[in-house]
Amino acid sequence: MASYYVASVRYHGTRIREKQKMMILLLFLCGTFLPVCSSHIRSIIEYIDEDGRQAVIDAADRASINFGGSGKGIVVDAGQFNFLAADLMENDIPRLRSNPHIRSVEPDVYPIFHAVPFDNSGIAEDAGGNYDNENQSSRKHKRRKLAEAIPTAVTMIQADLLSQGPDPPLVCIADSGYALGHPDLPQPPLVSGTDMELPNGRLLRWNQDISGHGTESAGMIAAIEGNGVGLRGASPGVTLHITRGLDDDKRST
């Protein structure tokens, strides 16, 4: 009986030790592969010197390895400005921010601004549904209505700190045209234009924009400020003169 008891203790002790080993192995595996389950964040990093640059590259390499290729490592290398854009693991970001060789680490936000809200059919409308988009755009985008936004680029160049003064400059845009009547863009007399006649006699109207490219360019420059629609341009209040540098298929004229 005693020998059976001793054997039983040894047996169960062995089982317990095996379970302990299994638990340790599981904890090790979880610690090894846990970073794969966390997310990577596209970030813009400004470094001070080569030590900072190398720290960013090392962190980006770790992210690329841990995420099995879904993390792209270094995405943009603007070495002349001491900037890198990279996919980083979340737990590496605080380390880089505390690194004395790193000046800043910020998320690389991908903003999607919609200057004109569209309904499901692709017909543009203003807040009251009155904007006539006929012959202005053939693109079929689903867009949601947003309050006015200030693009990151405007604040980066400190354009929001400047005023136009008593005599706003005249800006000429040679592009694919201009969607006259757009609710977030200047209207006459702040905008005028010149049509362009092609060698085959076809007339390209300055105040029509089939592709939407020229209207987008005009919005970046002069989208109206403070109207609660779309976004604020870099220089709202300027006078625009529009002509055609592109045809309706965005080919050079």
Side-chain angles (χ1 to χ4, degrees):
M1 184 68 178
S3 62
Y4 171 78
Y5 176 76
V6 172
S8 178
V9 170
R10 287 175 179 170
Y11 172 75
H12 288 291
T14 302
R15 293 293 299 274
I16 290 170
R17 284 194 296 273
E18 289 177 352
K19 288 182 179 179
Q20 288 175 336
K21 291 179 181 178
M22 184 62 70
M23 289 296 294
I24 292 172
L25 178 61
L26 288 173
L27 288 173
F28 172 76
L29 291 175
C30 287
T32 301
F33 294 106
L34 186 60
V36 179
C37 301
S38 62
S39 60
H40 60 77
I41 299 175
R42 179 69 55 82
S43 304
I44 299 176
I45 308 96
E46 183 182 6
Y47 57 88
I48 298 173
D49 52 28
E50 283 302 313
D51 289 340
R53 176 183 172 84
Q54 190 58 50
V56 177
I57 293 173
D58 292 344
D61 288 344
R62 284 194 295 273
S64 181
I65 293 170
N66 274 279
F67 294 109
S70 64
K72 297 181 179 179
I74 300 297
V75 180
V76 176
D77 185 348
Q80 67 271 37
F81 303 111
N82 282 23
F83 276 98
L84 291 168
D87 286 339
L88 302 174
M89 292 189 295
E90 286 184 84
N91 56 0
D92 267 332
I93 291 176
R95 296 192 191 109
L96 290 175
R97 283 178 173 160
S98 62
N99 188 322
H101 302 279
I102 302 292
R103 181 166 284 118
S104 65
V105 181
E106 301 296 337
D108 185 8
V109 180
Y110 182 71
I112 302 176
F113 296 117
H114 305 298
V116 184
F118 277 71
D119 65 13
N120 289 341
S121 67
I123 305 301
E125 59 181 21
D126 64 10
N130 301 317
Y131 176 53
D132 179 12
N133 194 48
E134 185 178 1
N135 296 325
Q136 300 300 329
S137 176
S138 60
R139 295 177 297 175
K140 303 293 183 181
H141 293 317
K142 293 183 180 180
R143 301 182 178 182
R144 57 193 178 92
K145 297 179 180 179
L146 300 175
E148 184 177 71
I150 299 179
T152 303
V154 170
T155 54
M156 286 183 67
I157 64 174
Q158 298 182 326
D160 54 327
L161 303 181
L162 302 175
S163 61
Q164 295 300 336
D167 298 310
L170 173 66
V171 178
C172 181
I173 301 175
D175 208 301
S176 62
Y178 187 88
L180 195 63
H182 190 299
D184 200 26
L185 288 179
Q187 304 302 314
L190 292 178
V191 60
S192 60
T194 302
D195 296 335
M196 176 173 287
E197 185 175 357
L198 298 180
N200 61 8
R202 182 184 174 194
L203 191 65
L204 298 177
R205 300 287 184 185
W206 72 267
N207 57 359
Q208 294 181 355
D209 187 8
I210 301 300
S211 71
H213 191 277
T215 299
E216 185 175 357
S217 299
M220 293 178 184
I221 297 169
I224 299 170
E225 180 182 15
N227 62 347
V229 177
L231 36 94
R232 175 200 189 279
S235 301
V238 298
T239 302
L240 298 179
H241 187 84
I242 311 298
T243 188
R244 297 292 294 268
L246 301 174
D247 64 15
D248 295 338
D249 294 320
K250 294 193 288 189
R251 293 175 299 195
S252 174
T253 57

